[in-house]
Amino acid sequence: TRTPVTVTVTGAAGQIGYALLFRIASGHLLGADVPVRLRLLEIPQAVKAAEGTAMELDDCAFPLLSGIDIFDDAVRAFEGTNVALLVGARPRTKGMERGDLLEANGGIFKPQGEAINAGAADDVKVLVVGNPANTNALIAQQHAPDVPAERFTAMTRLDHNRALAQLSKKAGASVADIRRMTIWGNHSATQYPDLFHAEIAGRNAAETVNDQGWLENEFIPTVAKRGAAIIEARGASSAASAASAAIDHVHTWVNGTADGDWTSMAVVSDGSYGVPEGLISSFPVTTADGEWEIVQGLEIDDFSRARIDASVAELSEEREAVRKLGLI
Ligand code: NAX
């Protein structure tokens, strides 16, 4: 039998954690033939709740789940970890300014980056889900100098999947017929879902839909503000869909994109498409052999350029803000 892969999940007692852990343990993250060992990280007040979830995981008797350990200490939680899912974060509460939010999250992602640097496995792959995801990923990455920067990624796959769903509805096409969707920039309201390179059954999506009004006034804002719409409807933020996207992100990273297709991941920029080097920004990426590569050579028209630039400018401001706070 194969050696288990160690997966660390932070914020394990939260609502995304609750939707995520059962899918990891049942084999959806890494594959139906890959045993996993879970290491859960929570804050001390939530350890008991995480223990409850662990009891339920036991009760599922998943054949692939070879163990669960729970920690309230990041150093121990990331020991030997191969896949780190950084879900726990400090949410924005009433009266909190953006600087306060970045500072509170710096207090979480700096020590977690250091712990990954100190103890994770050599092949560690990191996905940051907790918001502000791109900048939290940047903070963690900056405190893990011995880990290759490309191992730190942030999640825009939920935005990507939301864009697939909206396009599929509009075009009356199956999600399975859509390829080459792209989310550019920040996982925030400034993100840019791009239909100009997407395809429906091999034909250009923007041309097939042929409705610039819908694209500008419905598609883009619906995708960008979907999180708020879910909160409005459900009375709680996206959880199962976020967990599903996290599964997709890692699964695609490990197992590769299909021929002729790509996905969206926020990854460390090498300067491609004018995105300043070092920012963790969403790009179209292909994956193979556990590594990602930014899709090169796409033509970016003025409409797309303006939107990519606006989202990337927000990321630059966030980087400046965390620099000023001494967090990187
Ligand atoms: P919950 O508040 O339900 O759960 C968060 C959990 O994290 C709590 O159990 C809390 O105790 C724990 N936590 C806090 N600080 C921690 C630390 N230092 N170490 C370990 N655990 C810690 O939030 P949930 O709905 O699960 O969302 C988690 C994060 O995902 C939030 O930051 C949220 O904004 C973000 N999201 C990101 C998305 C994305 O697409 N990138 C979409 C969904 C989601 O909104």
Side-chain angles (χ1 to χ4, degrees), residues 11 13-16 41-43 87-89 108 112 129-131 155 187 242:
Q15 49 152 6
I16 294 175
L41 178 65
E42 259 298 350
I43 53 176
V87 179
I108 295 173
Q112 291 186 1
V129 174
N131 281 318
M155 189 166 94
H187 167 68

Side-chain angles (χ1 to χ4, degrees), residues 9-181:
V9 178
T10 77
Q15 49 152 6
I16 294 175
Y18 193 73
L20 183 59
L21 290 167
F22 296 86
R23 294 196 58 198
I24 298 172
S26 61
H28 291 95
L29 187 76
L30 298 165
D33 56 344
V34 186
V36 290
R37 178 173 286 282
L38 285 169
R39 295 176 86 79
L40 311 184
L41 178 65
E42 259 298 350
I43 53 176
Q45 310 88 282
V47 161
K48 183 141 186 259
E51 284 168 358
T53 304
M55 288 162 69
E56 283 201 75
L57 283 161
D58 281 345
D59 294 348
C60 293
F62 289 121
L64 290 173
L65 183 57
S66 66
I68 313 172
D69 293 292
I70 304 172
F71 305 95
D72 61 7
D73 167 44
V75 172
R76 297 192 58 208
F78 291 112
E79 260 168 34
T81 197
N82 304 107
V83 178
L85 303 175
L86 276 47
V87 179
R90 176 70 200 276
R92 190 191 289 245
T93 43
K94 226 177 151 196
M96 212 176 182
E97 299 293 333
R98 199 176 66 151
D100 303 333
L101 180 75
L102 292 171
E103 191 157 25
N105 279 293
I108 295 173
F109 288 87
K110 178 174 182 271
Q112 291 186 1
E114 289 166 349
I116 289 167
N117 197 57
D122 286 345
D123 68 348
V124 68
K125 289 181 167 59
V126 183
L127 167 61
V128 177
V129 174
N131 281 318
N134 301 54
T135 296
N136 287 342
L138 177 71
I139 293 169
Q141 182 269 317
Q142 290 285 308
H143 293 282
D146 304 330
V147 178
E150 61 268 21
R151 305 287 190 72
F152 283 83
T153 65
M155 189 166 94
T156 51
R157 185 64 172 264
L158 178 55
D159 310 298
H160 178 103
N161 288 345
R162 286 166 171 168
L164 291 176
Q166 293 303 317
L167 177 61
S168 132
K169 280 211 168 92
K170 169 74 176 173
S174 154
V175 162
D177 288 333
I178 304 175
R179 298 192 313 177
R180 301 188 169 189
M181 182 61 76

